[in-house]
Amino acid sequence: MRIVLLGPPGAGKGTQAQIIAGELGVPAISTGDIFRANVSGQTDLGLKAKVYMDAGDLVPDEITVAMVKDRLAEPDSKAGYLLDGFPRTIAQGEQLRGSLEQLGQRLDRVVELVVEEEELVRRLSGRRMLVGGEWVQRDDDKPETVRRRLEVYREQTAPLSGFYEREGLLSRIDAIGTIEEVTARVMTALGQPGRSDDS
Ligand code: AP5
Ligand code: MG
């Protein structure tokens, strides 16, 4: 299956992507994680991306699209994938559609995780990551950067919801509740009800 997880910062994309990709046996591909790995590794890509990420802005489309094309060309993406954080602009959505068309493929479903802003801010301000044995805040989870990320989402990413709705691919999911409850709703939207209850 080829799936896109759409949703604002803090909606639970990364959390759900790991669980659902595991259930479906496809790789979870997070552009944010790939950028962060490049920032830690101080690669050229990481140095370029860091400036935008630290400001809460999007990395330019040409950099992001080239990176995703490379990732989707890896052998593990052949049988499908779950994209977390891509596409994030209409231009990225069009590029993805074009690449898929060239391969005679299409997306199976786009799942939008819906959470109101107050809860997003609460989740992001409480998030900590384990780095080198220490719990630290993600660089872009500072309150002023979170505000900017939410603004960027509203302006540049939210229009993708209508873009995929017009293609008949969109499922909007209430992403408030326990992680397990949200997983069950997503699995149902993917036509796999009950799958996440197996374990
Ligand atoms: P990215 O890493 O994609 O960040 P984001 O979209 O802002 O979203 P987050 O990762 O912060 O949130 P999430 O939805 O994954 O939620 P999570 O599961 O962690 O992007 C970072 C930056 O990279 C961008 O700003 C941009 O600069 C760049 N970038 C990335 N992709 C790009 C692209 N395509 N184009 C251009 N630039 C790009 O959950 C959040 C918290 O909530 C966690 O603590 C979690 O434990 C908790 N939580 C999860 N589910 C629940 C629940 N049900 N109830 C309560 N708490 C929950
Ligand atoms: Mg994430």
Side-chain angles (χ1 to χ4, degrees), residues 10 12-15 30 32-33 36 84 127 138 149:
K13 300 183 298 298
T15 304
S30 157
D33 285 351
R36 278 184 290 279
D84 156 14
R127 176 169 60 186
R138 213 171 91 179
R149 285 162 62 202

Side-chain angles (χ1 to χ4, degrees), residues 18-26 183 187 194-199:
Q18 290 302 324
I19 303 170
I20 288 157
E23 289 286 339
L24 300 176
V26 296
T183 303
M187 293 303 279
R195 218 50 208 255
S196 62
D197 303 332
D198 291 351
S199 51

Side-chain angles (χ1 to χ4, degrees), residues 70-88:
D70 284 351
R71 181 62 188 86
L72 296 187
E74 302 266 327
D76 68 338
S77 301
K78 267 217 164 69
Y81 41 79
L82 193 161
L83 292 174
D84 156 14
F86 183 93
R88 226 158 163 125

